[in-house]
């Protein structure tokens, strides 16, 4: 049996193709869910959840290319959309379990981790010098916040 060498360019090309397929499937699924004649709030929550995953994959897709600094910054902001997954999934499941439940104003507290991380990234990218953040490991902070968020929901 002959083995074929796998180079990094083949792996990157495969990742690009799979990401394009996943993004197109998420968009088509969002459109088909949105067109259903369902009037519950859970339909809208599911569409927002699917589109947030689509934006997250789009951010990762942009990181597979050699891009300029501004596109890279927006790709990192799109990657933060993963912080929306837990609250949207929680609201979607709670709406599906109890269809009489209405969306309350107190549900906005579920989106605090996303707003904190988004505010942090916007400050880091647009307003503050990168030397300010050189002494802190932002990746560890973001992963820790995502871990805490997932423990709260699950």
């Amino acid at each position: 049996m002959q083995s074929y060498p796998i180079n990094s360019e083949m792996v990157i090309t495969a990742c690009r193709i799979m990401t394009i397929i996943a993004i197109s499937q998420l968009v088509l699924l969002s459109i088909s869910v949105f067109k259903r004649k369902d009037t519950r709030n859970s339909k809208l929550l599911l569409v927002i959840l699917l589109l947030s995953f689509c934006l997250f994959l789009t951010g990762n897709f942009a990181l597979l290319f050699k891009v300029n600094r501004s596109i890279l910054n927006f790709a990192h902001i799109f990657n933060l959309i993963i912080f929306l997954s837990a609250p949207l999934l929680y609201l979607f499941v709670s709406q599906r379990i109890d269809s009489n439940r209405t969306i309350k104003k107190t549900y906005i507290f579920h989106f605090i981790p996303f707003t904190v991380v988004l505010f942090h990234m916007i400050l880091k990218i647009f307003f503050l010098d990168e030397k300010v953040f050189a002494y802190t490991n932002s990746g560890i902070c973001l992963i820790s916040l995502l871990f805490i968020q997932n423990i709260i929901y699950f």
Side-chain angles (χ1 to χ4, degrees):
M1 180 183 269
Q2 183 180 4
S3 64
Y4 296 100
I6 298 176
N7 60 13
S8 62
E9 190 63 37
M10 288 173 50
V11 172
I12 291 174
T13 304
C15 287
R16 288 176 181 164
I17 291 171
M18 289 186 292
T19 306
I20 290 172
I21 291 170
I23 290 171
S24 61
Q25 286 180 341
L26 283 170
V27 168
L28 292 175
L29 185 62
S30 299
I31 291 170
S32 69
V33 167
F34 189 72
K35 285 188 174 184
R36 278 195 284 166
K37 299 201 185 275
D38 190 5
T39 59
R40 291 182 285 195
N41 290 333
S42 60
K43 178 181 86 167
L44 181 62
L45 288 171
L46 180 62
V47 168
I48 293 171
L49 181 67
L50 292 172
L51 290 177
S52 68
F53 283 132
C54 183
L55 285 176
F56 173 71
L57 286 175
T58 304
N60 283 324
F61 183 71
L63 293 176
L64 291 174
F65 294 98
K66 295 178 182 174
V67 293
N68 62 8
R69 183 104 174 132
S70 62
I71 293 176
L72 184 68
N73 289 337
F74 282 111
H76 285 301
I77 290 175
F78 281 171
N79 283 338
L80 295 178
I81 291 180
I82 198 66
F83 282 94
L84 283 176
S85 63
L88 286 174
L89 188 62
Y90 169 74
L91 293 175
F92 171 72
V93 170
S94 66
Q95 284 286 325
R96 294 303 290 184
I97 291 173
D98 184 13
S99 60
N100 294 328
R101 180 182 286 184
T102 59
I103 296 177
K104 300 176 187 173
K105 291 180 182 178
T106 57
Y107 289 161
I108 196 80
F109 293 117
H110 295 287
F111 298 97
I112 288 175
F114 172 70
T115 53
V116 167
V117 171
L118 186 66
F119 182 71
H120 171 266
M121 189 59 76
I122 289 173
L123 276 178
K124 181 178 178 181
I125 291 174
F126 296 112
F127 297 110
L128 296 177
D129 191 14
E130 298 219 7
K131 294 176 186 174
V132 174
F133 289 98
Y135 298 106
T136 61
N137 191 345
S138 299
I140 300 268
C141 295
L142 296 177
I143 290 171
S144 300
L145 189 58
L146 185 61
F147 180 71
I148 291 169
Q149 179 189 20
N150 286 329
I151 285 177
I152 290 171
Y153 286 103
F154 302 108

